[in-house]
Amino acid sequence: MKSIAIIGASGYTGAQITSLINADSHFSVQGLYVSENSLDKGRKLADLYPTYSHMAYTLSPLSDEAKKQIVAEADAVILATEHSVSLELAAWFYQQGLAVFDLSGAYRFADVAQYPKWYGFEHTHPEVLAEAVYGLAEWNREKIKQTRMIAVAGCYPTASLLALKPLKPFLTSMYPVINAVSGVTGAGRKAQLHTNFCEVSLTPYGVLGHRHQPEIATHLGQEVIFTPHLGNFKRGILATITVQLKPGTTEADVEKAYSVYDSEPIVTVKHNMFPKVDDVVHTPNCHIGWKYDANSGYLVVASAIDNLMKGAASQGLQCMKIHFGV
Ligand SMILES: NC(=O)C1=CN([C@@H]2O[C@H](COP(=O)(O)OP(=O)(O)OC[C@H]3O[C@@H](n4cnc5c(N)ncnc54)[C@H](OP(=O)(O)O)[C@@H]3O)[C@@H](O)[C@H]2O)C=CC1
Ligand SMILES: CC(=O)N[C@@H](CCC(=O)OP(=O)(O)O)C(=O)O
């Protein structure tokens, strides 16, 4: 059984992955951690999230002492922390010999030049970044097995890339256009005005400037137009993507391309039927639906996931299982 420390465990993705690890016989929880000055240190996770009343874990401050204990006792750490926090913690734990599963974006680009532009910091650990593998589980299994530094894919990129990657041989120079809507948990648990109940109303944001645009483009190998929207629901992402395919591409070609998921239990693909967010929330699943007009060459594909599950926690667990071979 592998022992796992969860850092940022009081947040939405941290609490979610704690519940998944708690329920998995291959893993045990070494400890749950928050920042040293956290208002939640010493509190029980179940006091923050009564839905987890079956778990007795307490949130500990991530002191230097706690870090040493993690190194002595754990096989891996999950970082459910913001990008700049993960940047430093991932490098430190990696250098101590632990496997690191980072839910943030701090290690998702191989190119250090991307970080100042999209994350507002210089990447201070290029040597660890060089070891990092993108944790899009269905597409990167072999590499996830081979490295101890896994940058779990982002939420919108997971929904978008699972829909688009099978189509790569048929894409033209025209950019796929991705319109995606996320539930409010995508913005994390901390209080912010724009995620207040009274403020939330369906609207685009980050237009032509969201950090997930280059993440999708990098891991697809093709530029895209990406427009995220904030929806007035708690969990889930629906990405609806319009793309023009190469002249001569047939419906059978598309069918065959998506058959890559026939052996993947988590990804379900339907032709002429479209997914609903409610069918995937609280599950690790991705539901994809597509329709193609061979005359115009236009294909519309929609992809639904739970942002906290396949978009973060359950994909993190999937990567852990691949890495540890369980
Ligand atoms: N929400 C989502 O749908 C998704 C989120 N992600 C990524 O996952 C990460 C976590 O996101 P989310 O769960 O939403 O964030 P939250 O804001 O909900 O939680 C952040 C957690 O980090 C803790 N924390 C903050 N600073 C430190 C520190 N210095 N040391 C240890 N713990 C710290 C917080 O506790 P405290 O401040 O009390 O210490 C809290 O437990 C982010 O990088 C995010 O981008 C990825 C995919 C989807
Ligand atoms: C609704 C909302 O605000 N969503 C977040 C994306 C979720 C997230 O935390 O992004 P990562 O997957 O890159 O970690 C945003 O747009 O920044």
Side-chain angles (χ1 to χ4, degrees):
M1 192 185 277
K2 300 291 177 189
S3 174
I4 314 295
I6 300 150
I7 301 176
S10 67
Y12 285 150
T13 60
Q16 179 70 77
I17 201 162
T18 300
S19 79
L20 298 179
I21 290 171
N22 180 64
D24 194 306
S25 60
H26 302 102
F27 301 106
S28 63
V29 173
Q30 185 276 338
L32 304 188
Y33 299 92
V34 288
S35 60
E36 265 197 285
N37 298 320
S38 173
L39 296 175
D40 293 320
K41 66 183 175 193
R43 296 183 71 192
K44 289 204 177 307
L45 184 70
D47 290 343
L48 274 64
Y49 296 94
T51 191
Y52 298 140
S53 56
H54 58 290
M55 296 191 282
Y57 306 118
T58 298
L59 298 159
S60 303
L62 188 65
S63 59
D64 287 346
E65 207 51 44
K67 283 162 80 175
K68 280 187 205 143
Q69 203 176 341
I70 293 171
V71 171
E73 295 176 3
D75 298 292
V77 288
I78 288 161
L79 299 176
T81 41
E82 66 168 86
H83 318 292
S84 60
V85 174
S86 283
L87 175 67
E88 298 304 327
L89 289 178
W92 192 81
F93 282 110
Y94 182 82
Q95 283 158 350
Q96 305 305 308
L98 271 66
V100 176
F101 298 84
D102 180 20
L103 301 186
S104 89
Y107 287 81
R108 292 183 195 150
F109 292 124
D111 177 8
V112 285
Q114 299 273 29
Y115 290 94
K117 182 167 181 200
W118 298 106
Y119 286 93
F121 55 69
E122 295 287 341
H123 208 290
T124 41
H125 299 285
E127 71 294 353
V128 178
L129 184 61
E131 304 301 318
V133 158
Y134 191 60
L136 185 64
E138 282 73 15
W139 288 89
N140 253 349
R141 274 203 182 87
E142 286 313 308
K143 287 183 176 166
I144 292 168
K145 278 182 199 163
Q146 286 158 14
T147 185
R148 287 188 289 110
M149 180 63 230
I150 290 105
V152 179
C155 49
Y156 289 119
T158 293
S160 307
L161 289 167
L162 287 176
L164 280 171
K165 278 179 88 72
L167 302 176
K168 185 75 204 311
F170 306 108
L171 297 182
T172 67
S173 57
M174 277 186 69
Y175 297 177
V177 177
I178 305 166
N179 285 301
V181 189
S182 171
V184 186
T185 52
R189 188 166 182 262
K190 62 194 169 300
Q192 300 170 92
L193 184 61
H194 77 281
T195 55
N196 269 1
F197 181 76
C198 295
E199 302 287 330
V200 174
S201 177
L202 182 59
T203 186
Y205 67 99
V207 176
L208 297 176
H210 194 282
R211 68 187 188 285
H212 286 173
Q213 185 278 333
E215 186 178 327
I216 298 166
T218 299
H219 295 285
L220 180 63
Q222 149 121 24
E223 284 301 323
V224 297
I225 297 185
F226 168 64
T227 310
H229 298 68
L230 187 66
N232 59 347
F233 51 95
K234 290 183 185 173
R235 299 170 73 121
I237 285 180
L238 182 73
T240 302
I241 304 167
T242 306
V243 56
Q244 195 174 34
L245 303 183
K246 280 182 186 156
T249 306
T250 64
E251 207 164 71
D253 291 332
V254 177
E255 194 99 55
K256 191 164 174 226
Y258 279 124
S259 71
V260 69
Y261 294 128
D262 286 355
S263 56
E264 298 289 353
I266 282 171
V267 185
T268 304
V269 183
K270 298 224 162 121
H271 184 195
N272 290 338
M273 276 180 72
F274 290 93
K276 291 179 184 169
V277 164
D278 277 358
D279 292 333
V280 294
V281 293
H282 296 286
T283 83
N285 298 333
C286 175
H287 287 184
I288 292 172
W290 61 276
K291 186 167 180 174
Y292 179 52
D293 175 15
N295 291 324
S296 66
Y298 278 106
L299 178 133
V300 176
V301 55
S303 174
I305 59 167
D306 182 329
N307 54 299
L308 297 181
M309 290 287 284
K310 183 63 176 163
S314 68
Q315 181 145 254
L317 180 66
Q318 220 182 333
C319 290
M320 282 172 53
K321 288 186 162 179
I322 292 168
H323 179 75
F324 288 117
V326 298

